Amino acid sequence: EVQVVESGGGLVQAGGSLRLSCAASGFTRDDYAIGWFRQAPGKEREGVSCISRSDGSTYYASSVKGRFTISSDNAKNTVYLQMNSLKPEDTAIYYCVLDPYGLCHEYRYWGQGTQVTVSS
């Protein structure tokens, strides 16, 4: 059974940092991709970032580019989202999701989400 589990959310003041982790298990191939999405109350879900394990390609939403960094520790099957210079508008539930095709657009396996709250 494929599972992705997020961790690392919490409460932080504006301008602060958090690092989210996404641990993947149960997938037999190594060339998948992991994406991060977020959803704030009353708003649509937004794609934040993605990394392809096969070639290391990364993608960022314009709203987080330059502040967030996605990385992968392939030995640990874990993807990290380092979030710096956080703003109140970054407050949301953050989800990681596995794309078994490694293309950053065929998302299939979702985590349960982790809450990020940025206070002003």
Side-chain angles (χ1 to χ4, degrees), residues 11-24:
L11 173 64
V12 65
Q13 288 188 331
S17 298
L18 281 175
R19 189 178 77 160
L20 304 183
S21 300
C22 174

Side-chain angles (χ1 to χ4, degrees), residues 35-46:
W36 285 97
F37 286 75
R38 66 186 181 186
Q39 188 163 22
K43 295 189 177 181
E44 292 188 357
R45 187 173 60 196
E46 175 190 18

Side-chain angles (χ1 to χ4, degrees), residues 67-81:
R67 300 188 297 121
F68 291 11
T69 303
I70 193 169
S71 62
S72 178
D73 184 335
N74 290 351
K76 295 182 178 179
N77 290 325
T78 299
V79 167
Y80 303 100
L81 186 68

Side-chain angles (χ1 to χ4, degrees), residues 23-117:
S25 62
F27 195 70
T28 56
R29 291 166 47 186
D30 293 333
D31 55 349
Y32 57 84
I34 292 287
W36 285 97
F37 286 75
R38 66 186 181 186
Q39 188 163 22
K43 295 189 177 181
E44 292 188 357
R45 187 173 60 196
E46 175 190 18
V48 174
S49 184
C50 184
I51 186 166
S52 173
R53 281 173 48 111
S54 59
D55 63 4
S57 299
T58 58
Y59 304 92
Y60 297 95
S62 57
S63 57
V64 306
K65 196 172 292 184
R67 300 188 297 121
F68 291 11
T69 303
I70 193 169
S71 62
S72 178
D73 184 335
N74 290 351
K76 295 182 178 179
N77 290 325
T78 299
V79 167
Y80 303 100
L81 186 68
Q82 178 67 43
M83 306 186 296
N84 298 329
S85 302
L86 283 162
K87 305 175 181 180
E89 51 264 44
D90 294 317
T91 295
I93 299 175
Y94 284 70
Y95 300 90
C96 74
V97 56
L98 188 148
D99 166 4
Y101 302 100
L103 301 176
C104 285
H105 66 78
E106 293 288 341
Y107 298 109
R108 298 290 179 91
Y109 304 98
W110 292 79
Q112 80 287 353
T114 186
Q115 177 71 48
V116 171
T117 303

